[in-house]
Amino acid sequence: MIIAVDGPTASGKGTIAKALAAHFGLPHLDTGLLYRAVGRQVALSGGNPDDSADALTACAFQDSLLADPELRSEATGGLASRVSVHPAVRQALYERQRAFATQPGGAVLDGRDIGTVIAPEAEAKLFVVASVPARAERRLKEMQAAGRSVSLAEIAADLEARDLRDRTRAQAPLIAASDAVLLDTSDLGRDEAIATAIAIVAARTGR
């Protein structure tokens, strides 16, 4: 069973995907972390995230980089959005994601193009959304908990810029699959959002 969970940054898709994986006993992959690693590697190498060649070279990052806490920063998130527009980068990471999705028994993947590109055959697809104000508040709390200093206005502006890049890129834009179920978490608490997602997947898969 493959479960695809797509949506913009801070919509709650990561939390929901992890909970779905735990509930249904499946491995989970945060595909956005791969793009964050590429963005981070570009920065570490002194490259330009808007240059396709630099971004492609960064796809050869070491697996140990996935444990770098800096990957969760707003700065790295912005870099991830920039490197993800390059077709060469998306192709380089496609095989890695595809292999994870099609492993025996299935998996849960969250990202921006799981249901449309990586695993269009997924048995259950969720497209998780939330308003920019709600997402900015969540991200602010995460940053504050991590000891990072950033304003709510800066976060909101960054989210809007990333949304625009993700939705308008030429390859694999952020769009809901035609058979995905829309889940708006703007006014939902964590437990309520998870319970709703589990119910949706159970209804779709009969499990």
Side-chain angles (χ1 to χ4, degrees):
M1 176 171 67
I2 302 175
I3 301 174
V5 184
D6 291 307
T9 299
S11 60
K13 68 179 184 294
T15 297
I16 287 172
K18 290 176 185 175
L20 287 171
H23 182 83
F24 291 101
L26 297 169
H28 166 248
L29 176 64
D30 173 1
T31 64
L33 204 60
L34 301 179
Y35 287 95
R36 283 174 175 265
V38 174
R40 176 65 172 155
Q41 185 61 58
V42 168
L44 291 173
S45 302
N48 177 4
D50 299 316
D51 181 84
S52 180
D54 285 356
L56 181 59
T57 297
C59 288
F61 64 84
Q62 296 294 314
D63 286 346
S64 59
L65 185 61
L66 293 172
D68 185 348
E70 184 60 28
L71 262 59
R72 298 293 183 182
S73 73
E74 286 301 292
T76 301
L79 291 172
S81 182
R82 290 163 68 184
V83 300
S84 69
V85 304
H86 303 301
V89 170
R90 304 201 70 83
Q91 183 58 42
L93 297 182
Y94 171 83
E95 297 299 340
R96 189 171 188 167
Q97 297 172 75
R98 185 65 186 163
F100 190 92
T102 57
Q103 63 184 289
V108 179
L109 294 85
D110 71 83
R112 288 170 174 75
D113 63 350
I114 309 305
T116 54
V117 177
I118 304 302
E121 78 278 26
E123 293 178 53
K125 301 177 184 178
L126 279 72
F127 194 77
V128 185
V129 299
S131 67
V132 170
R135 291 158 55 203
E137 287 283 358
R138 293 171 189 171
R139 184 62 83 190
L140 178 64
K141 291 178 180 178
E142 291 178 5
M143 294 297 102
Q144 291 176 333
R148 301 180 186 278
S149 178
V150 60
S151 73
L152 186 63
E154 289 174 330
I155 293 176
D158 181 63
L159 288 174
E160 290 177 337
R162 287 159 65 178
D163 285 352
L164 181 61
R165 279 197 300 269
D166 291 342
R167 288 176 178 144
T168 60
R169 66 186 178 220
Q171 186 175 26
L174 172 63
I175 56 173
S178 60
D179 54 346
V181 177
L182 183 68
L183 175 55
D184 191 333
T185 66
S186 299
D187 300 315
L188 299 181
R190 179 181 181 279
D191 292 344
E192 188 177 1
I194 290 172
T196 302
I198 290 175
I200 290 171
V201 173
R204 279 296 180 95
T205 63
R207 303 191 186 189

